[in-house]
Amino acid sequence: MAEKTKAGDSLMETIKTIFWALIIAGVFRTLFFQPFWIPTGSMKDTLLIGDFLFVNKMAYGYSRHSCPFSACPISGRIWAGEPERGDVVVFRHPVTGADFVKRLIGMPGDTIQVTNGQLTVNGTPYPQQDAGLFTEIKEPQGSQGTEPACSNAPVEQGGICEKQRLIETDLSGRSYATLNVSDFPNRHQDSTNVYNVPEGHYFFMGDNRDNSQDSRVSQQLMGVGYVPYENLIGRVDRVMFSSAGRSLFYFWTWRSDRFFKKVE
């Protein structure tokens, strides 16, 4: 009987340990840093498919979207912090509810337009400096097995896929890399109407400009559109580590040069 009692006590202690570990992990994830795994190439080459990072949730304060399933009992935003132009941000998609990561391009009240691939904000074209080619292998990438778009298409499997790399500088003087696949002026990504960002909303774009679902597509068409302030989850500051394989557990595919890499 004593042995059964000890076994029962041991089981209860294990259950309690797991319970409190989950509570602590949940509080940490909600209040401080949320893990995020990059599944698509829309932010190349700033973020690559397979990058693993922690989202700084303290940067902008907290809203109902700070909790899993948008379950935080918060109206509006508390301990609010203002995002800065050029931040790389994880936010909740206003229509689908999925978590997206993009670069903050437009602040409330801004006017935005893309003309033949050049971004103009508040009437000022962003300068673009040629930074050579971004190259990668033409093969399925990440857990979704997506293949990259190539400016030198057609490219056979295993061949070198190329894209033009540009350094863009925004109104605040912040510079970052963008990728260009095509120069077709009639592509909706490369030539747009003028967007007027409403108060309390933000405009986001992917750095991989020709391969990004972002604010250039309206919410009526299931795009991102203008993102409300309360939908911002946090800022991306650093890549913790990165895997070029289909899973983070494929340690032999880890990219050692991206460990603790600062996100510009």
Side-chain angles (χ1 to χ4, degrees):
M1 182 67 69
E3 290 182 357
K4 289 184 178 180
T5 301
K6 288 181 180 179
D9 291 344
S10 177
L11 178 60
M12 285 304 300
E13 286 301 318
T14 300
I15 292 173
K16 288 179 182 178
T17 299
I18 294 173
F19 172 78
W20 286 112
L22 291 174
I23 292 295
I24 293 170
V27 170
F28 183 86
R29 181 187 186 279
T30 299
L31 295 181
F32 302 110
F33 297 96
Q34 176 179 326
F36 194 84
W37 179 262
I38 302 299
T40 71
S42 69
M43 280 296 292
K44 289 178 181 177
D45 67 339
T46 303
L47 298 174
L48 302 181
I49 295 177
D51 280 352
F52 181 84
L53 46 90
F54 283 103
V55 180
N56 181 356
K57 302 183 80 169
M58 298 175 285
Y60 310 136
Y62 305 94
S63 72
R64 64 188 182 93
H65 298 296
S66 299
C67 290
F69 311 110
S70 301
C72 281
I74 298 173
S75 177
R77 200 167 196 96
I78 61 173
W79 302 320
E82 289 296 326
E84 296 182 3
R85 193 185 305 277
D87 283 355
V88 177
V89 179
V90 171
F91 58 88
R92 194 64 47 84
H93 192 294
V95 179
T96 68
D99 287 347
F100 271 40
V101 57
K102 306 290 179 185
R103 189 176 297 277
L104 176 53
I105 297 297
M107 308 291 284
D110 281 352
T111 59
I112 314 286
Q113 187 174 26
V114 182
T115 305
N116 295 337
Q118 182 164 42
L119 176 64
T120 297
V121 178
N122 297 335
T124 300
Y126 279 11
Q128 296 175 324
Q129 180 181 355
D130 184 26
L133 293 176
F134 172 79
T135 62
E136 57 188 335
I137 303 298
K138 179 67 178 293
E139 62 183 358
Q141 298 178 351
S143 60
Q144 298 181 5
T146 55
E147 294 189 358
C150 310
S151 60
N152 59 328
V155 178
E156 296 182 353
Q157 287 289 312
I160 300 298
C161 177
E162 298 178 351
K163 282 180 272 288
Q164 182 185 23
R165 188 172 187 266
L166 299 166
I167 301 299
E168 184 173 89
T169 302
D170 69 15
L171 294 177
S172 66
R174 189 171 185 172
S175 296
Y176 46 83
T178 66
L179 299 183
N180 177 48
V181 177
S182 172
D183 289 325
F184 293 141
N186 60 340
R187 291 174 60 89
H188 73 270
Q189 294 101 328
D190 283 342
S191 291
T192 71
N193 295 322
V194 176
Y195 303 97
N196 295 285
V197 185
E199 289 301 316
H201 292 71
Y202 296 88
F203 190 96
F204 290 91
M205 292 174 64
D207 288 348
N208 192 0
R209 293 287 167 81
D210 292 328
N211 188 25
S212 174
Q213 181 187 355
D214 51 39
S215 292
R216 288 172 289 181
V217 178
S218 71
Q219 294 170 12
Q220 287 77 12
L221 298 175
M222 298 303 288
V224 172
Y226 305 120
V227 178
Y229 182 34
E230 72 167 2
N231 284 50
L232 307 190
I233 294 174
R235 185 181 65 222
V236 177
D237 295 323
R238 195 171 295 273
V239 175
M240 302 308 293
F241 66 88
S242 182
S243 171
R246 295 184 64 87
S247 165
L248 65 89
F249 298 109
Y250 291 12
F251 61 88
W252 57 90
T253 68
W254 286 5
R255 306 175 178 109
S256 58
D257 62 323
R258 296 188 67 79
F259 281 31
F260 309 110
K261 181 178 176 64
K262 181 177 175 58
V263 174
E264 302 293 343

